[in-house]
Structure formats: C-alpha cells, structure tokens
Amino acid sequence: MKRICVFCGSSPGSRPEYAEAARHLGVTLAENDIGLVYGGADVGMMGAIASSVIATGGSVTGIIPRQLADQKVAFTGLADLRIVDSMHQRKALMEALSDGFIALPGGLGTIEEFFEIWTWAQLNMHRKPCGLLNVCHYFDRLLAFLDHTVEEQFVEIDHRRMIIVEKDPLTLIERFRTYQPPVTDKAKWALKMNNS
Ligand code: AMP
C-alpha cells in the first residue's frame, strides 16, 4: 500500500474532533510510509490532513482542477501539486495513483467522490479498498440508509460490505491491507462488457 486517497471536507465542520481526526489520519499515514493523495486545497479538513502529513515527514500529492487553483485555495507549499483541467480528470488521476480510498467527514464533494469511487469498485473497474473513518458517528445515518438500499434490493449485500468502517485510522489501514474484493454478478457482468 504505497498511497491512499483521502476525500474530506473543504470545511472544518462544527466540532474540533473532525480536524483532529484528519490530523491523526495524516500522522498515521506518514508513520506507515503511505503517501497521501487528496484534493490539493489548503482549507478545512483538507488543509489539516495535508499539513499533518508534511509535519510528520510523509509524502503528499495534491490534485486540483485549474478553476479551483485559480481561486487561490490550492496548497501552494506542496512539493507535488498537480493542476488538471476538470473534476473528471482529477478523480481519474486520484484513482490511478492510489491503492485505497478513505472518506473523512465532509460535504457534497466528499460524498460524491466517495460514491463514485465505490461505484467503480462495484463495476470491477478497480479492486481497491474503500473505507469510511466514522469520526463522532458522522456517517451513522448514511450507513443506515445504505442498509435500507440493500433491504429494498437496489444494492447487493456484497457491495454494501465492500465499505470498511472504522473509528481508528490504523485499524482501517490494517483492514485495507487484507481486503479481498468480492466477485459479484454485477462485477462479472462489467468484466464481460469490458472484454467484448
Ligand atoms: P466538500 O466535502 O463539499 O467540502 O468537498 C470536499 C471534496 O471535494 C474534497 O475531497 C475535494 O476533492 C473537493 N473539493 C471541494 N472544495 C474544494 C476546494 N475548495 N479545493 C479543492 N478541492 C475541493
């Protein structure tokens, strides 16, 4: 596991525990020699995690669309800041560079990024682990809704189980290391489409 992509809020949220959890994850990545890939901004949870990785001597790759970089939110002190043309290019590069994906608490951007990368896993477009760091129970109601999607038979239980949920960053990373992706009907179907 060389690099993990972290999706997280451009805001710090309402409680100090959120940014504290971002810093804790950053230190844990750096201490385990795992590089951070993230959205490249210097604000909110994003700034907190990037600063903590750098302060612990770890490596950070920021990927930011030009439009956001032009608004001066980019973390200009990063040794590896990549400016891309669109949100789509950013996500594709995040996926290509990373060996796993974690969402910390965040807003629409965080949720959208995490769900797209999980959707790609569901379709077997990558086989990398996806996890939520459930700080202060932030994701509890989302997880309850995901259980509902399974009960209503819109999501396969194996796809729901792909999401690794932990409160402690090191435990989450250890579960990433032993992750085995399921082979589901949808994945088989996607493979057939890819090969035809
Ligand atoms: P949000 O959760 O809505 O604050 O959005 C955060 C996520 O969307 C991050 O993981 C980023 O990849 C992206 N994003 C949103 N706002 C920004 C910003 N100002 N600068 C860089 N990336 C951002």
Side-chain angles (χ1 to χ4, degrees), residues 5 32 38-39 47 50 63 80 83 92 94 101 135 139 147 154 187 194:
C5 181
N32 285 274
Y38 86 115
I63 307 173
D80 187 8
I83 298 181
M94 284 171 149
F101 308 90
V135 183
F139 291 112
D147 290 337
F154 285 108
N194 288 343

Side-chain angles (χ1 to χ4, degrees), residues 5-12 38-43 45-46 63-65 68-69 71-75 87 90-91 94 102 104-114 138:
C5 181
V6 177
F7 307 122
C8 60
S10 53
S11 308
Y38 86 115
D42 191 13
V43 291
M45 300 282 282
M46 304 171 80
I63 307 173
I64 192 162
L68 286 174
Q71 291 168 25
K72 311 274 179 244
V73 291
F75 198 139
M87 297 290 270
R90 169 203 246 177
K91 217 172 305 162
M94 284 171 149
I102 294 175
L104 280 166
L108 296 182
T110 302
I111 293 164
E112 181 274 325
E113 289 168 333
F114 186 77
Y138 181 71

Side-chain angles (χ1 to χ4, degrees), residues 8 10 15 27 45 50 75 78 85 107 112 130 183-184:
C8 60
S10 53
R15 305 162 185 250
V27 170
M45 300 282 282
F75 198 139
L78 294 183
D85 287 332
E112 181 274 325
C130 301
V183 180
T184 61

Side-chain angles (χ1 to χ4, degrees), residues 139-151 160:
F139 291 112
D140 282 2
R141 277 170 278 183
L142 178 66
L143 292 166
F145 175 70
L146 293 177
D147 290 337
H148 179 64
T149 66
V150 175
E151 283 155 18
R160 168 71 182 82

Side-chain angles (χ1 to χ4, degrees), residues 140-182:
D140 282 2
R141 277 170 278 183
L142 178 66
L143 292 166
F145 175 70
L146 293 177
D147 290 337
H148 179 64
T149 66
V150 175
E151 283 155 18
E152 295 302 311
Q153 301 181 7
F154 285 108
V155 175
E156 286 183 30
I157 184 71
D158 283 343
H159 293 142
R160 168 71 182 82
R161 287 189 184 136
M162 281 175 158
I163 303 306
I164 302 170
V165 184
E166 290 291 344
K167 292 192 176 102
D168 173 62
L170 189 56
T171 312
L172 185 59
I173 289 167
E174 277 162 3
R175 288 189 62 192
F176 271 29
R177 291 193 206 279
T178 57
Y179 173 74
Q180 295 288 339

Side-chain angles (χ1 to χ4, degrees), residues 24-35:
H24 188 189
L25 176 59
V27 170
T28 306
L29 290 174
E31 286 179 350
N32 285 274
D33 213 12
I34 298 170

